[in-house]
Amino acid sequence: AVVSTQSTGDTDEDIDVGGERPNALDSGAGGVDIPIEEEDPLNSEDDESDEDGEEHLKTDNVIVCLFDKVTRSKNKWKLYLKDGVMHISGKDHVFQKATGDGEF
């Protein structure tokens, strides 16, 4: 695609802003044409089954929430959480704001 612009010197200037190339070759470094690999589009055969994802749900304690801020200093983390639900030791807890510290 070519865009026509007008510079401050009152002269028109054409600038090539890219666009589709007529073939599947791309000009690489040094002007060498490199073939572009085309991938098949995603479809339903690429989906993972629901049964595969259940392994990560087998835990006793879970927190589902939004985070305001997460900071890290070396191996220490500070968490600022909001609007969440915790399932801890078999009980559900709802919170508006929470903070947490952790070491990894």
Side-chain angles (χ1 to χ4, degrees):
V2 176
V3 175
S4 181
T5 63
Q6 188 171 11
S7 64
T8 57
D10 292 335
T11 59
D12 288 338
E13 179 182 352
D14 290 336
I15 300 172
D16 184 7
V17 292
E20 293 186 26
R21 297 187 183 270
N23 57 22
L25 295 177
D26 188 18
S27 185
V32 177
D33 288 335
I34 301 169
I36 299 173
E37 293 183 31
E38 294 187 24
E39 295 182 11
D40 294 331
L42 293 175
N43 58 33
S44 61
E45 293 176 6
D46 297 321
D47 295 344
E48 293 184 14
S49 69
D50 291 337
E51 296 169 2
D52 295 339
E54 290 182 14
E55 290 179 15
H56 71 277
L57 296 177
K58 294 180 182 175
T59 183
D60 293 332
N61 302 319
V62 177
I63 300 174
V64 179
C65 63
L66 300 174
F67 67 90
D68 274 332
K69 184 177 176 183
V70 176
T71 60
R72 180 182 65 89
S73 178
K74 296 185 181 182
N75 65 339
K76 295 185 181 193
W77 292 75
K78 282 189 124 337
L79 309 169
Y80 300 90
L81 310 173
K82 66 178 185 178
D83 302 332
V85 177
M86 299 185 295
H87 183 78
I88 308 290
S89 301
K91 294 183 179 181
D92 290 334
H93 305 277
V94 180
F95 63 90
Q96 286 183 334
K97 290 191 177 191
T99 59
D101 297 318
E103 272 189 52
F104 292 97

